[in-house]
Amino acid sequence: MPAYIHGSLAVEQRTKPKVTVKETKKIVYRNKSLPVQEKLLYLFTMLICVIVASLIIWRYAQIYEMNTKILKLETDIQILQADNSVLKHKVESLSNPDRLRQEALKLGMVPPEDKQISKVPMKSSGTQSNATASAVNDKKVETTTP
């Protein structure tokens, strides 16, 4: 059972020991400023880092620009290929022999008669004389006139 402090039993009061504080002085040392050579070394190091970073960014910008040009050229190629296929189909439809026959009839052309057709012999690999060439030309003129 605890002792009574303020009761009939007289017990000495416990006192807390006093804490003594020692005062200590702090000595503050000021750092000397950096030497000029070291400052210049730091400056040039930072400058080199900035230059390298800017070169890397510049190269990435060029790569991005080239990629956009490539994409534009690829879309242009696809458009031109589509136009080319449309034009090929148009050429095929316009070169249809039946359509050409109808257009010729509209323009007043008629099919050739048997008397108007003449066969011309193929030229040989050697040179022909002028007399032979003129005879062939005369024959061609005679057969083409009605």
Side-chain angles (χ1 to χ4, degrees):
M1 179 178 237
Y4 290 103
I5 296 176
H6 298 289
S8 59
L9 295 173
V11 178
E12 281 187 44
Q13 290 184 349
R14 295 182 191 164
T15 60
K16 294 182 182 178
K18 292 185 179 180
V19 179
T20 58
V21 178
K22 284 186 177 180
E23 287 188 32
T24 58
K25 293 183 180 180
K26 282 191 173 182
I27 301 173
V28 177
Y29 293 104
R30 289 189 181 184
N31 292 335
K32 293 181 181 178
S33 64
L34 296 175
V36 176
Q37 292 175 346
E38 194 171 348
K39 286 180 184 178
L40 287 175
L41 177 69
Y42 290 151
L43 177 68
F44 287 128
T45 303
M46 290 303 296
L47 185 65
I48 289 172
C49 290
V50 167
I51 289 172
V52 168
S54 62
L55 284 175
I56 291 171
I57 292 171
W58 179 65
R59 289 298 294 163
Y60 274 110
Q62 282 185 333
I63 290 170
Y64 177 77
E65 185 178 340
M66 286 178 149
N67 283 337
T68 54
K69 285 181 181 180
I70 288 171
L71 288 175
K72 184 182 179 293
L73 288 175
E74 285 176 351
T75 55
D76 289 347
I77 287 171
Q78 289 176 352
I79 290 170
L80 289 174
Q81 285 176 344
D83 290 345
N84 196 14
S85 65
V86 168
L87 290 173
K88 281 182 181 179
H89 288 295
K90 193 172 183 179
V91 165
E92 287 176 5
S93 66
L94 290 176
S95 63
N96 187 2
D98 294 333
R99 194 199 69 78
L100 290 175
R101 213 174 276 122
Q102 290 173 355
E103 288 294 321
L105 290 175
K106 284 181 188 176
L107 294 173
M109 297 182 182
V110 293
E113 296 176 4
D114 289 336
K115 295 178 185 176
Q116 292 177 334
I117 298 174
S118 64
K119 294 185 180 182
V120 178
M122 274 181 76
K123 291 184 179 180
S124 63
S125 61
T127 57
Q128 295 180 347
S129 65
N130 287 340
T132 311
S134 64
V136 170
N137 287 337
D138 291 340
K139 184 176 180 184
K140 188 189 288 186
V141 169
E142 289 176 16
T143 58
T144 57
T145 54

